[in-house]
Amino acid sequence: MMFASKKIAHSLLIASVLSNFAHAVSFDGQYIQPNLTNTAVEWWWGSAVGASQSPGTPGPVLQFLFYQGYSILADFNHSSLPEYYITINGFFSNGNNFSLTVPATSGNISEGNNNSVTGTWGTVGAFQISSDLKTMAVTFNAPDAPYRISGSMNFTSNRANHYGCNVTDSPYFDVVKPVKTLNDAEQVLFNQLGWAVAIPGGTVNVDVRINGTRLQFTGNGYHDQNWMPLALNEFISSWYFGFAEDTSPPTMLCCKINALSTGRRPRISALFALPARWLVQKARLRLPAGR
Ligand SMILES: *[C@@H]1O[C@H](CO)[C@@H](O)[C@H](O)[C@H]1NC(C)=O
Ligand SMILES: *[C@@H]1O[C@H](CO)[C@@H](O)[C@H](O)[C@H]1NC(C)=O
Ligand SMILES: *[C@@H]1O[C@H](CO)[C@@H](O)[C@H](O)[C@H]1NC(C)=O
Ligand SMILES: *[C@@H]1O[C@H](CO)[C@@H](O)[C@H](O)[C@H]1NC(C)=O
Ligand SMILES: *[C@@H]1O[C@H](CO)[C@@H](O)[C@H](O)[C@H]1NC(C)=O
Ligand SMILES: *[C@@H]1O[C@H](CO)[C@@H](O)[C@H](O)[C@H]1NC(C)=O
Ligand SMILES: *[C@@H]1O[C@H](CO)[C@@H](O)[C@H](O)[C@H]1NC(C)=O
Ligand SMILES: *[C@@H]1O[C@H](CO)[C@@H](O)[C@H](O)[C@H]1NC(C)=O
């Protein structure tokens, strides 16, 4: 724990420098500047969940992450790793899974009128958010081995954008921070882990070819992005989130994030929707306490 705290204290220096950069103009734009000499990370995430095609079998799922930097960093010197990449994983309708990471030569965010954003990951992938945050178009273009993915996804939102904890004024968790002196990890968790939910719910059309198999469906869509000055494993011990589904598309229901801490662990839970049927999809990321 001493070791972790010292590392975090050192990293906080980087973190406070980086917070000067947190000024995206567009809601879904660039909030922090990950690069090879810092530990910042920012990612644009989206998921599509289709209906089950036979009883007892889960429906198809596709999720993508357009990454700048590393959410789990094993070594602060990551200059031998690609800074920009796309990870894509999920399940075909028959239950078989797929998981791939496609490196890119660049990860460029350009902010246009109002809230429009274009992300260009080298030649292998791109996304476009419309100025009214109502649509997102995603394309994958790495058809050759070893990646073998190509195709597109089109999201149409049916909910208003918001930040984490369903607020619209701050992208950070400062609104729920406990009234006490925060330790170093908690300061990053509550003040510098950003969360912008551009598409809390809606529909998505998916048509991609992955390793020779076509995955085509219309499902429930969700898109958000996160950014932070440190890799998750530098300040978080665990992260849970859940989706809820009612008659309309699912939306994020709750999240619970624990900071690395020697004392009391903070807890964030927020309710974003009242579910009729719930937890159709649940993901859980358990991180080592320290490293
Ligand atoms: C990387 O980001 C840091 C801020 O964290 C900045 O000082 C440095 O100039 C950046 N380096 C490059 C190559 O952009
Ligand atoms: C970081 O990694 C690069 C590429 O592997 C290497 O050239 C460099 O010496 C490393 N720097 C440190 C401080 O270890
Ligand atoms: C993915 O499929 C492989 C092969 O069937 C299996 O071993 C693995 O557990 C699956 N992974 C997940 C996350 O379902
Ligand atoms: C990133 O986008 C900006 C604005 O469109 C453009 O000026 C710049 O050349 C692009 N950079 C790269 C590396 O593609
Ligand atoms: C600008 O964005 C807001 C949402 O943030 C939206 O309500 C508005 O319609 C947009 N205006 C245009 C012209 O797209
Ligand atoms: C997404 O929209 C683009 C542009 O209209 C279209 O070419 C593409 O076929 C669409 N993809 C899906 C899966 O609907
Ligand atoms: C791609 O499909 C081939 C068979 O067509 C299979 O041998 C290979 O393991 C698959 N690759 C991945 C990454 O699933
Ligand atoms: C989230 O915010 C929206 C807009 O302010 C509001 O309509 C909705 O009731 C809120 N949901 C919850 C669960 O607080």
Side-chain angles (χ1 to χ4, degrees):
M1 253 356 220
M2 264 274 281
F3 174 69
S5 308
K6 236 168 116 181
K7 179 142 289 166
I8 289 166
H10 163 76
S11 306
L12 273 174
L13 212 61
I14 302 169
S16 65
V17 171
L18 278 165
S19 63
N20 298 332
F21 288 90
H23 59 51
V25 177
S26 306
F27 181 84
D28 210 16
Q30 186 90 51
Y31 285 85
I32 204 166
Q33 302 288 337
N35 71 36
L36 288 177
T37 63
N38 67 40
T39 54
V41 54
E42 183 158 6
W43 67 77
W44 286 258
W45 181 62
S47 73
V49 180
S52 171
Q53 321 224 325
S54 64
T57 313
V61 174
L62 192 160
Q63 69 163 20
F64 61 79
L65 287 135
F66 283 78
Y67 269 112
Q68 299 176 338
Y70 283 81
S71 58
I72 309 286
L73 195 53
D75 187 334
F76 273 114
N77 178 17
H78 57 297
S79 60
S80 56
L81 300 171
E83 187 73 0
Y84 309 108
Y85 53 102
I86 310 169
T87 65
I88 298 143
N89 50 58
F91 296 88
F92 292 107
S93 299
N94 66 4
N96 288 346
N97 63 56
F98 51 88
S99 178
L100 60 154
T101 297
V102 187
T105 51
S106 63
N108 196 14
I109 295 294
S110 119
E111 301 179 29
N113 288 338
N114 202 18
N115 280 312
S116 70
V117 169
T118 299
T120 309
W121 261 240
T123 58
V124 295
F127 60 84
Q128 282 178 301
I129 319 274
S130 62
S131 61
D132 59 3
L133 300 174
K134 286 300 170 211
T135 66
M136 179 186 200
V138 182
T139 51
F140 305 111
N141 181 33
D144 300 327
Y147 311 114
R148 303 192 72 206
I149 179 162
S150 57
S152 63
M153 300 170 75
N154 295 323
F155 292 78
T156 304
S157 179
N158 65 2
R159 290 170 201 267
N161 58 299
H162 58 71
Y163 296 114
C165 296
N166 203 32
V167 299
T168 51
D169 54 349
S170 169
Y172 301 105
F173 289 108
D174 46 354
V175 287
V176 292
K177 74 182 164 200
V179 185
K180 62 157 193 147
T181 305
L182 302 180
N183 70 28
D184 290 343
E186 290 164 344
Q187 287 190 38
V188 178
L189 170 57
F190 288 109
N191 300 324
Q192 295 185 288
L193 165 59
W195 195 328
V197 189
I199 303 183
T203 57
V204 58
N205 292 320
V206 178
D207 191 359
V208 295
R209 187 166 279 277
I210 300 169
N211 198 27
T213 301
R214 189 176 188 184
L215 176 61
Q216 184 182 27
F217 65 96
T218 295
N220 294 318
Y222 171 90
H223 158 63
D224 70 13
Q225 70 145 308
N226 290 106
W227 63 94
M228 56 213 76
L230 296 176
L232 288 171
N233 52 321
E234 296 300 326
F235 68 102
I236 280 174
S237 63
S238 63
W239 172 309
Y240 303 82
F241 64 87
F243 282 104
E245 184 179 83
D246 50 25
T247 48
S248 47
T251 189
M252 189 174 68
L253 171 70
C254 58
C255 60
K256 179 171 183 239
I257 306 172
N258 292 315
L260 283 177
S261 169
T262 47
R264 172 180 148 237
R265 299 216 146 162
R267 194 191 133 126
I268 300 176
S269 339
L271 213 57
F272 293 106
L274 294 174
R277 280 192 295 137
W278 63 315
L279 293 187
V280 289
Q281 194 199 31
K282 189 168 144 187
R284 173 176 148 170
L285 171 64
R286 189 164 268 296
L287 300 164
R291 257 199 261 136

